[in-house]
Amino acid sequence: MRKSTARLLALLSLIGAVLLLRSPAALAQATPTSTAVSSPNPALTPTPTQLSATESEEHGDTNCLMCHFDPDFTGHPEDGSTVSLYIEPGVFYRSVHAEAGLECLACHVDQKGYPHQASGQVTCQDCHEDLDTTQDAQYRPISVELNYADKRSITLALNENCRACHEENFEESVDSAHVRVQVGGNRNAPVCVDCHGSHDITSPNEPRIKISQTCATCHLAVYSTYQASIHGTALETDSNPDVPACVDCHGVHNVRGPRDVDFHNDMIAVCGGCHADEDRMEKYEISTNVFDTYLDDFHGRTVNFFRNTDNNIPSNKATCFDCHGIHNIRPADDPSSTVYPHNLQATCQQCHADAGIAFPQAWLSHYVPTWEDTPALFAVNTIYSYMIPGVIGSFLVYIGLDARRRLSNHRRSSKQQYLELELGEERTESTDDKE
Amino acid sequence: MTKNNPSTKKTKTKSGHEKHRERLRSRRRITHREAVKAAARLRTDEHGKRYVIRFSLSERVEHILLMISFTVLGMTGLMQRYAGTAVGDFLLSMIGGIEITRQLHHIFALMFFLEAIYHFGAFIYGLFVYKRWGKIWPTFDDFRHFWEMMLLNLGISKKHPNFGRFTFEEKIEYWALIWGVLVMGITGVMQWFPVFTTQWLPGSTIPVARALHSLEAVLAVLAILIWHLYHTLIKTINKSIFTGVMTEEEMLKEHPTELKYLKQAAAALDRQKQQNQIEEEKNMDVE
């Protein structure tokens, strides 16, 4: 009985609270928050900048959109260019942030108060200039001066606000090639919103092809090479989940490239991660011996040593992509592959400048030696696998017999050379006992 | 002279066949030059202790060069063979990385190679100029010695084989080394200059060379550690390759036939000298 009464009371109080906070902003706030709480990823739940109930009442989306729903709303940074300040509401409401219950002020933390009193950019006259003078007040598109050097400055300044919720990913990106370029002075180096989008932010890997297409925004030439590769084709046409998209090799937030000293050596683990994985390779009938046979040879042993000991020294020996190609990687039976028999000599010549026509055969193409393919190598391995134990074993037998005879001879000869020693009282006592 | 000759004691037990062989061997003729050389190897020190010159200075230097280069090659080579294992990687980093280890391996390979060239050159020179074949070649006696040694070690016989200049154990060591130098030298150069090699040979010879080099290295290092070090350091401490000399007692124990040869050569030289003196005196008388 008590339980049901408590439930009834709770229900009543809930209805009461809803009725009290009936303002539309509060309603808009209430529904998405409940979904955010139930969302499986707590990292995405915005706690620090989430608006308090009173703030959202005053400055909810509705208020922002009073101006920002106008397609002609523009701003002018200090360089005189024109920036559209129009927000298409539907775009934002479809984004993951809206799903998580975030509103404008969650990211635009400085724009508190109406109209942006903190920055003091907007005055009444900006919109209602003609209101006093004439009755037939004409509509005039709002245009404001912005306290930023240019459009990019706005993006870069606002990008810092991503850190508040996405601390881990943000910190990870600090070591990335993109941030290094940015620190080097290139303001166009991508920041969070350049890849993820700003108001239209959605899951970055759904569908998976979206990853590569995002990178293609800037790296178009590389992307078109990748599209034609075995990995790219499988991703584009079959949306194959097994093939790598850009980030699978280069990393996501800590994106790395060939200018990173450890990238070259680490590639063996990146390629090996999939190509030595039997479950993944079984479907495509690709040998998983590639990794071990590589590590067993001159190039692989060297690269692996550098990787294991001091990875900050790049090795000058070939790693996977030096032979197989980078973004243009194709199967070995494709005539345009760098490892197609006819192209091998040119591939080897990248490092071995004078390599002749017979040189590529010095590498067994990841094959484990067999009697059919490489009889000489197979014979050497087999003969020595018997010869080493055979020779060393017979040496040991001979030495064992020889040592045994010498030791027994020594014992026999030393028997005749016993000398008597006087060892004091203990010795005499024991002889007394015997008598 | 007869006292030291073991053949006088054992003539009673010898079969006719053995006697015949003994006679053939004992009738060996040597040149005057050989006799002079042999006699010169018998020495007496200031305490009147007799010893034998066993190795020349150049042979001792050769051994030291070979010892240093083989040790460094074996160590740096096996480290590369076992790169990727914890021990291999640790040792490689102690030296300063795999590239420096390879450079070291190449430098000492050059030393080893030059030593081998010198050794071969010295043999060719001795052969053509002095008609000196050397005594390291395998002979039928070595197989007999091996058989006798096995009988002795198994406790079947009590007779210790009478070794000559080199025991069959030393000959095994030497010829294993020659085989090793050839295999390691050829396969090593093939791997050092793969582009050059594949201009003359099929590319598939390189992996064969690599496997041979790697496996033969294990065999060679184990052979040195087990066979060579047992016979020179554990069985007896034989320092003659460094000092160049062996006392008469040691020679009697380990190379009795060689000692007999040297003494016979010296005695033959003495006899010839006496004969020459007598002839000279005769000639003087005639004049």
Side-chain angles (χ1 to χ4, degrees), chain A residues 301-302 317 384 398 405, chain B residues 81 99 102 153 169 216:
Chain A
R301 207 164 271 196
T302 313
K317 302 293 178 290
Y384 270 85
Y398 180 88
R405 174 180 60 87
Chain B
R81 180 178 158 87
E99 299 284 0
R102 276 196 191 116
N153 281 342
E169 292 151 354
E216 177 64 29

Side-chain angles (χ1 to χ4, degrees), chain A residues 84-402:
Chain A
S84 169
L85 297 179
Y86 167 60
I87 304 297
E88 196 188 319
V91 166
F92 178 70
Y93 284 120
R94 278 195 297 274
S95 77
V96 287
H97 280 162
E99 272 175 33
L102 295 188
E103 296 195 343
C104 307
L105 293 196
C107 297
H108 298 273
V109 288
D110 290 338
Q111 324 299 52
K112 294 210 170 97
Y114 174 81
H116 311 313
Q117 274 153 359
S119 50
Q121 285 171 357
V122 185
T123 61
C124 301
Q125 259 65 35
D126 286 330
C127 305
H128 310 288
E129 198 184 64
D130 343 7
L131 206 66
D132 302 330
T133 49
T134 53
Q135 282 297 314
D136 49 341
Q138 277 190 324
Y139 169 74
R140 194 181 73 143
I142 317 166
S143 179
V144 293
E145 296 295 319
L146 299 171
N147 282 346
Y148 291 101
D150 53 17
K151 189 185 176 188
R152 188 70 184 158
S153 305
I154 309 172
T155 311
L156 294 179
L158 281 172
N159 195 68
E160 292 297 316
N161 297 336
C162 302
R163 176 181 244 158
C165 300
H166 303 281
E167 175 82 28
E168 207 174 297
N169 288 345
F170 199 92
E171 287 299 325
E172 215 175 71
S173 74
V174 166
D175 295 330
S176 74
H178 286 152
V179 167
R180 215 169 39 243
V181 171
Q182 197 190 16
V183 169
N186 186 344
R187 298 172 75 240
N188 289 325
V191 291
C192 310
V193 294
D194 291 314
C195 300
H196 288 278
S198 45
H199 300 111
D200 57 341
I201 190 161
T202 48
S203 179
N205 56 352
E206 287 169 28
R208 202 147 173 271
I209 185 75
K210 193 178 160 189
I211 301 169
S212 306
Q213 281 163 351
T214 303
C215 301
T217 317
C218 301
H219 302 276
L220 190 61
V222 165
Y223 175 64
S224 56
T225 317
Y226 167 79
Q227 267 184 313
S229 76
I230 177 74
H231 293 148
T233 318
L235 181 66
E236 297 247 322
T237 56
D238 309 335
S239 55
N240 187 323
D242 289 331
V243 295
C246 307
V247 294
D248 292 308
C249 300
H250 288 277
V252 191
H253 296 108
N254 60 340
V255 60
R256 295 184 307 157
R259 284 171 204 87
D260 290 86
V261 282
D262 51 354
F263 187 75
H264 184 263
N265 299 345
D266 273 346
M267 261 310 115
I268 59 170
V270 170
C271 301
C274 295
H275 280 275
D277 177 1
E278 286 210 7
D279 294 334
R280 205 188 282 249
M281 290 300 122
E282 212 176 12
K283 293 180 234 170
Y284 310 101
E285 292 176 356
I286 298 175
S287 162
T288 47
N289 286 330
V290 288
F291 190 58
D292 288 340
T293 48
Y294 170 74
L295 283 192
D296 204 35
D297 201 73
F298 180 76
H299 292 146
R301 207 164 271 196
T302 313
V303 172
N304 194 36
F305 173 79
F306 274 83
R307 198 174 115 76
N308 287 348
T309 50
D310 194 352
N311 208 11
N312 288 327
I313 306 168
S315 148
N316 64 348
K317 302 293 178 290
T319 185
C320 312
F321 63 68
D322 288 315
C323 301
H324 289 274
I326 308 169
H327 300 110
N328 59 337
I329 188 161
R330 285 159 198 271
D333 53 7
D334 182 333
S336 57
S337 164
T338 49
V339 291
Y340 190 71
H342 285 297
N343 306 332
L344 266 178
Q345 195 187 350
T347 303
C348 294
Q349 278 172 345
Q350 294 176 90
C351 298
H352 304 272
D354 301 324
I357 190 75
F359 185 76
Q361 267 98 57
W363 163 240
L364 293 178
S365 312
H366 296 290
Y367 283 115
V368 178
T370 58
W371 177 247
E372 287 77 26
D373 297 331
T374 49
L377 181 56
F378 186 81
V380 164
N381 282 337
T382 314
I383 290 169
Y384 270 85
S385 70
Y386 289 106
M387 196 159 113
I388 293 175
V391 169
I392 300 302
S394 42
F395 280 1
L396 284 173
V397 167
Y398 180 88
I399 286 169
L401 289 171
D402 196 65

